[in-house]
Amino acid sequence: MARVFSGIQPSGELHIGNYLGAFQNWVKLQHQHDCLFSVVDLHAITQAYDVPSLSQRTLEMAIGLLASGLDPERCTLFVQSHVAEHTELNWFLNIVTPLGELERQTQFKDKAQRQESVPAGLLNYPVLQAADVLLYEATLVPVGEDQVQHLELMREIARRWNARFGDDAGFSFPEPQALLTTAKRVLGLNGQAKMSKSLGNTIGLLEPPDAIWEKLRPAATDPARVKRTDPGNPDICNIFTIHQGFSPPDVQQTVATNCRTAGWGCLDCKRVLSDNMIAVLTPIRERATALRAEPPKVTDILRAGAAKARAVAQRTMAQVRQRMGFLGGGVP
Ligand code: SF4
């Protein structure tokens, strides 16, 4: 069974964008592979962040993941900072990572130009990502198209470490492969930007049914549908993208046909979507409410997950330290 690693930042945003972009896919993957999923709080501090809310956001993200269907019996769910080996391997991989490659990363360039003073942690972000995956010798990494460049760098880092310290007959890192997700990127309800709490264009994962409909009703659709009789194009409509995440395939087909032939108005289409969203999200909201009432249950799951992850990480680090020549294999 292939090993998968994936992480999500504790952004404090539990909305349908991250449900469709990550959670839903992770829930499927846990039945197919040996999966490690992490709330990557160490990544979340590479830019200015709100210190007092970090721990609560981390807990909330874990609750969202568990409520969405991650099963601790089927996957390992843990908080990145609870396994110290992530930062240790990050340091070791820094010494084989070319600076020029880091500076060429599109995400770094985008984020750096918005800052007056660029922290080194932002530059080294992809090295920590490489450590996250290589620490567990994971061979598959679910990525969206915007992350393919980081994965390529991860593979390059693995190759460089292997060339200098690895040993085919003993230990070397496998080069991880991309597991391209089929999830489409959901735009915000205004149809103009990524779904984001700060832009006020989200539907929360845990919203009650009335709020789902109230938010969906005025949401942007194909602008060509000015009148009820104007045909539309579902392929450019964000509402259809959301249907693809929540409605069964036969309903998606009906939506596409009724959109192209103007058989439905957009409100009819949204009503069907609202009903399907409510059917999927109601049990998630109920599970989240139960988990929020019992934070120790969640922290116990995360502690057990960290212990499982740490056992694998420690085996890897014993090999890495020994091959890098530290006195006593890096153990006092
Ligand atoms: S009918 Fe549905 S898919 Fe077509 S434009 Fe309206 S909301 Fe979008």
Side-chain angles (χ1 to χ4, degrees):
M1 196 185 266
R3 182 170 287 159
V4 170
F5 178 91
S6 195
I8 189 160
Q9 289 199 24
S11 59
E13 303 206 10
L14 283 182
H15 56 64
I16 61 163
N18 47 34
Y19 174 74
L20 298 178
F23 299 11
Q24 208 181 34
N25 188 36
W26 289 11
V27 170
K28 269 190 221 144
L29 289 173
Q30 70 179 342
H31 298 286
Q32 298 161 355
H33 302 290
D34 171 15
C35 294
L36 292 115
F37 297 127
S38 183
V39 182
V40 288
D41 50 353
L42 297 172
H43 286 287
I45 63 168
T46 50
Q47 297 195 78
Y49 71 102
D50 182 53
V51 176
S53 66
L54 179 62
S55 63
Q56 186 56 34
R57 284 185 278 124
T58 304
L59 188 68
E60 272 292 299
M61 188 54 79
I63 289 172
L65 289 165
L66 291 166
S68 297
L70 281 194
D71 177 356
E73 300 293 320
R74 291 192 172 270
C75 68
T76 304
L77 176 65
F78 67 102
V79 176
Q80 187 187 28
S81 64
H82 292 177
V83 181
E85 285 77 6
H86 284 258
T87 43
E88 187 185 6
L89 185 57
N90 179 17
W91 180 250
F92 292 174
L93 296 180
N94 269 327
I95 63 150
V96 294
T97 305
L99 181 61
E101 292 288 340
L102 292 175
E103 288 170 335
R104 267 195 288 281
Q105 298 296 305
T106 311
Q107 283 195 4
F108 168 71
K109 288 194 282 191
D110 285 351
K111 288 180 180 168
Q113 71 184 9
R114 283 185 254 135
Q115 306 205 16
E116 238 171 65
S117 167
V118 180
L122 187 61
L123 181 71
N124 287 350
Y125 185 109
V127 190
L128 181 58
Q129 279 188 323
D132 296 340
V133 172
L134 300 179
L135 191 54
Y136 302 104
E137 299 180 72
T139 53
L140 292 176
V141 183
V143 286
E145 274 168 15
D146 57 339
Q147 287 285 321
V148 169
Q149 195 185 23
H150 280 180
L151 190 84
E152 268 313 311
L153 178 58
M154 197 180 286
R155 290 161 56 80
E156 174 67 16
I157 291 171
R159 276 195 292 273
R160 284 175 180 250
W161 190 93
N162 290 344
R164 187 155 168 208
F165 304 108
D167 166 7
D168 284 344
F171 177 85
S172 57
F173 290 118
E175 283 181 39
Q177 307 289 326
L179 193 59
L180 275 175
T181 64
T182 50
K184 291 203 174 174
R185 179 176 286 215
V186 179
L187 297 176
L189 295 176
N190 52 4
Q192 284 166 5
K194 196 175 147 185
M195 200 168 263
S196 155
K197 203 159 119 184
S198 59
L199 298 174
N201 62 3
T202 63
I203 295 183
L205 189 62
L206 310 178
E207 304 256 22
D210 289 357
I212 293 174
W213 173 242
E214 282 310 311
K215 289 190 170 178
L216 214 46
R217 201 162 45 90
T221 63
D222 175 1
R225 294 210 69 183
V226 179
K227 296 195 299 292
R228 167 75 174 72
T229 49
D230 292 332
N233 178 2
D235 297 333
I236 59 161
C237 178
N238 194 42
I239 295 298
F240 187 63
T241 307
I242 304 175
H243 263 295
Q244 289 172 311
F246 288 101
S247 299
D250 58 324
V251 176
Q252 292 173 32
Q253 192 56 50
T254 306
V255 171
T257 305
N258 281 329
C259 178
R260 290 198 172 94
T261 59
W264 277 353
C266 289
L267 274 182
D268 303 321
C269 178
K270 288 173 177 175
R271 183 52 89 177
V272 172
L273 175 59
S274 176
D275 290 347
N276 289 332
M277 286 177 68
I278 290 165
V280 173
L281 296 180
T282 297
I284 294 177
R285 192 178 69 253
E286 287 169 357
R287 282 194 292 270
T289 304
L291 288 165
R292 275 177 172 161
E294 281 187 278
K297 189 172 170 185
V298 181
T299 48
D300 281 353
I301 290 170
L302 295 174
R303 193 175 299 118
K308 249 168 93 184
R310 195 178 301 115
V312 180
Q314 286 177 340
R315 282 200 297 275
T316 305
M317 290 313 297
Q319 297 280 357
V320 169
R321 290 188 206 109
Q322 196 190 34
R323 278 166 175 74
M324 293 182 74
F326 294 107
L327 177 65
V331 180

